[in-house]
C-alpha cells in the first residue's frame, strides 16, 4: 500500500463530515465537520488539502440498499467532481450505505445522544468510509 494520507468525506446537504488517516493508512480519525452551504467551503477544503497533502480522496456514495443510485448519490458525485478540480489527488466514490447508521449506533452505544452529536456523527461516518476504503486498498495489495 502506498504511503501517504487519505481523506474521506461524508457529504450531506447541511454538513460534510471529514476524516483523515495517518501516512501509513493504519488509523482513520475524525477531522472536522464543514457546513455545506458555507461561502468559505472551497477555501476550507483547500486549506485541508494543503495541510494534509492527501494522496487519495474518498467521498461516500449513498446508494439505496438494493444498489440503485439515490438523489444524494448524484449530489455526492457532483461534490467529488468539485474536489477533483481542486486537487491532483485521485477522488473515488465509496459505497457508504450503512456508514451513518453504523456511526450513529456506535455513538449511541457509547452513551452519546445522536440529536446532540450530529456533527460528530458526520465525522464518524467519514471515518467509516475511510476505514472501508483503506480495507479495499490493503486487500488489493
Amino acid at each position: 500500500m502506498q504511503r501517504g494520507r487519505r481523506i474521506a468525506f461524508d457529504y450531506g446537504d447541511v454538513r460534510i463530515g471529514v476524516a483523515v488517516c495517518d501516512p501509513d493508512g493504519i488509523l482513520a480519525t475524525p477531522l472536522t465537520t464543514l457546513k455545506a452551504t458555507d461561502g468559505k467551503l472551497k477555501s476550507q477544503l483547500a486549506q485541508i488539502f494543503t495541510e494534509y497533502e492527501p494522496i487519495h480522496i474518498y467521498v461516500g456514495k449513498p446508494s439505496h440498499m438494493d444498489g440503485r443510485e439515490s438523489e444524494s448519490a448524484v449530489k455526492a458525485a457532483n461534490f467529488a467532481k468539485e474536489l477533483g478540480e481542486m486537487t491532483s489527488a485521485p477522488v473515488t466514490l465509496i459505497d457508504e450505505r450503512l456508514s451513518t447508521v453504523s456511526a450513529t449506533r456506535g455513538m449511541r452505544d457509547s452513551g452519546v445522544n445522536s440529536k446532540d452529536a450530529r456533527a460528530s456523527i458526520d465525522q464518524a461516518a467519514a471515518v467509516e468510509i475511510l476505514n472501508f476504503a483503506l480495507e479495499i486498498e490493503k486487500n488489493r495489495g
Side-chain angles (χ1 to χ4, degrees), residues 12-47:
D13 289 333
V14 178
R15 291 174 307 278
I16 303 167
V18 186
V20 66
C21 72
D22 63 287
D24 294 317
I26 296 170
L27 183 64
T29 56
L31 182 61
T32 189
T33 301
L34 304 171
K35 292 183 180 176
T37 57
D38 190 333
K40 298 177 184 176
L41 179 62
K42 285 198 177 195
S43 65
Q44 292 168 336
L45 292 167
Q47 183 177 354

Side-chain angles (χ1 to χ4, degrees), residues 17-95:
V18 186
V20 66
C21 72
D22 63 287
D24 294 317
I26 296 170
L27 183 64
T29 56
L31 182 61
T32 189
T33 301
L34 304 171
K35 292 183 180 176
T37 57
D38 190 333
K40 298 177 184 176
L41 179 62
K42 285 198 177 195
S43 65
Q44 292 168 336
L45 292 167
Q47 183 177 354
I48 289 170
F49 295 155
T50 299
E51 183 174 345
Y52 291 94
E53 300 176 339
I55 63 164
H56 207 120
I57 297 166
Y58 296 97
V59 177
K61 180 182 177 186
S63 299
H64 292 289
M65 289 306 288
D66 64 5
R68 288 180 297 122
E69 194 167 89
S70 67
E71 181 181 331
S72 296
V74 172
K75 291 177 183 178
N78 289 335
F79 178 68
K81 183 180 176 193
E82 288 178 28
L83 294 178
E85 293 169 356
M86 296 178 66
T87 179
S88 61
V91 179
T92 303
L93 290 166
I94 291 285
D95 183 352

Side-chain angles (χ1 to χ4, degrees), residues 107-136:
M107 299 285 273
R108 187 177 53 238
D109 291 349
S110 300
V112 177
N113 180 329
S114 63
K115 188 174 182 181
D116 296 333
R118 287 188 176 134
S120 297
I121 289 170
D122 293 322
Q123 290 176 36
V127 168
E128 294 278 337
I129 293 163
L130 187 50
N131 279 327
F132 185 55
L134 291 169
E135 283 302 313
I136 291 170

